[in-house]
Structure formats: C-alpha cells, structure tokens
Amino acid sequence: MSLHKPQLGFSLIELMITIILSSLLLLGVLQLYINTSATDRTSNELARVQESGRVALELIAREARRAGYQGCVGAGTTTEAGGITYPDGALVGALVGTADSITFHYARPNPAGTFPNRTCFDSDGDGALDPMEPYQVTFSDCGDNLCISAPDIGLNQQLVANANFANIGYIEACGANTCLRDAATADMANVRKLQITLAVNDSRGEFAVPRTFTSVIELRNRL
C-alpha cells in the first residue's frame, strides 16, 4: 500500500488567487512603464522647448548686435542710405494688434553694394575697401510661430515653431540710470539695450503654460 497521495493539481481557489496576483503584478509593471514613458516624453519636450528658446534668442541677439553698423566709421557718424539714418534709425520696434515685431538695419559686405561707406577690409587686394549694401532683418509673430523676414530669405519664414514674443523691452539711458520702455514710448535713437522675452510652448500641448526665456542684448553700434 502506497503512503504517497497522488498529485491533484491546483484547486480553483488557488488558481484564482494566482491569476489575481499575476494580474496585479502585471498592472504594476504596466503602470510603471506608462509613467516612465510619460516622464521621458515630457523631458524630451522640455529639452526641445529650451533648445528652441535658446536658439531663437541667440539668432535675435546676433542680428541686434549688427544693428546700426555702417562700415569703417565710428558710431558718431551719421549715414543716410535706403531711407534709413544710421545709426539712430537702425532699430524699429512695432506693436500691431497682438503681433510684436522688431527690425534691425545694418550694412553688410556686397561686391555690388551701393552703401555710402565701405568695410575696413580689402579682400581682393585691389587697393580699395570692400563695398557694402544696406540690409534689414525683421523678427515677428506670425500665428503660433516666430518668423523672420529678410530680402534674401523672404517674408515670414518660420524661425521657431510654437514661439512668440512675450515682451520686447527697450532700455534707454536716462541720465545716470536706465529706463525700460515699450515700442510705443521708446526713443529708438536713445535705446542702448533690448530685453527680449520669448514664450515657447511644446509641440504636443502637454504644458499648461508656455516656458518663457529672457535675454538682455546690448546694441554695439551706438555711442
């Protein structure tokens, strides 16, 4: 007579408990995966937003520092070209409805240019300084995007998606102090710095509010 009982397998209750425990474990793993994916997606979007804000401010700053450049002359020199008086009229800020824009005028090298002044360089060795042409660049809000307009680029070309000007401040010299103005009240000829604030949103619309990025840019071609 055998002393061992035959194997009878799992009872229904044991099987149900096993299924429930396995399901709970699987749900926990699935929830962890979803949370991790969401966090990773948000981090990637935030990185893109930060990169967009940084690049846009750098491009605006690069053009702003050129504003008023009029060749191999001092900033105290006044030059008339293309209906613009350099350097005082080289900065134009506008607020039209809810769309901000800012325009920078400067001279740049061009062999066929007709700008009254020339550069400080003789690149072809002909004994004459290189000629220049008047040039302008405009940054503006166009819909949900930040756009750039220039003669060799075209009008309202998208620069950064899901970005707009939150504010454009004009910092003037006010005696021993400085004054922050807007486009409506600023004396553009007296502006020495710009305070640019951009609002940048993510492409997925996951952020409740746009991220803002601010930079103070010094205008170089002014006394």
Side-chain angles (χ1 to χ4, degrees), residues 28-178:
V29 172
L30 182 60
Q31 186 63 45
L32 179 62
Y33 172 77
I34 293 173
N35 291 341
T36 302
S37 297
T39 300
D40 184 61
R41 185 170 60 251
T42 300
S43 298
N44 289 337
E45 286 296 326
L46 181 58
R48 291 191 188 97
V49 165
Q50 291 174 332
E51 182 69 8
S52 295
R54 183 185 66 81
V55 169
L57 285 175
E58 285 184 357
L59 291 174
I60 294 172
R62 184 186 67 180
E63 298 299 325
R65 294 186 184 107
R66 293 174 176 172
Y69 175 70
Q70 49 182 328
C72 198
V73 296
T77 301
T78 298
T79 303
E80 297 284 343
I84 301 297
T85 301
Y86 295 78
D88 289 352
L91 175 65
V92 180
L95 178 60
V96 182
T98 58
D100 284 293
S101 71
I102 188 166
T103 300
F104 306 109
H105 294 269
Y106 58 88
R108 69 173 188 175
N110 185 335
T114 59
F115 195 80
N117 305 328
R118 291 179 170 243
T119 71
C120 295
F121 306 99
D122 177 13
S123 60
D124 55 10
D126 64 354
L129 298 178
D130 297 340
M132 298 189 299
E133 66 173 351
Y135 192 73
Q136 70 178 52
V137 178
T138 299
F139 297 92
S140 62
D141 293 338
C142 48
D144 295 330
N145 307 315
L146 182 65
C147 292
I148 183 172
S149 300
D152 52 358
I153 297 175
L155 294 175
N156 294 330
Q157 300 299 308
Q158 180 178 304
L159 181 67
V160 178
N162 305 304
N164 292 116
F165 284 115
N167 186 59
I168 303 176
Y170 301 86
I171 301 175
E172 300 178 11
C174 298
N177 303 312
T178 57

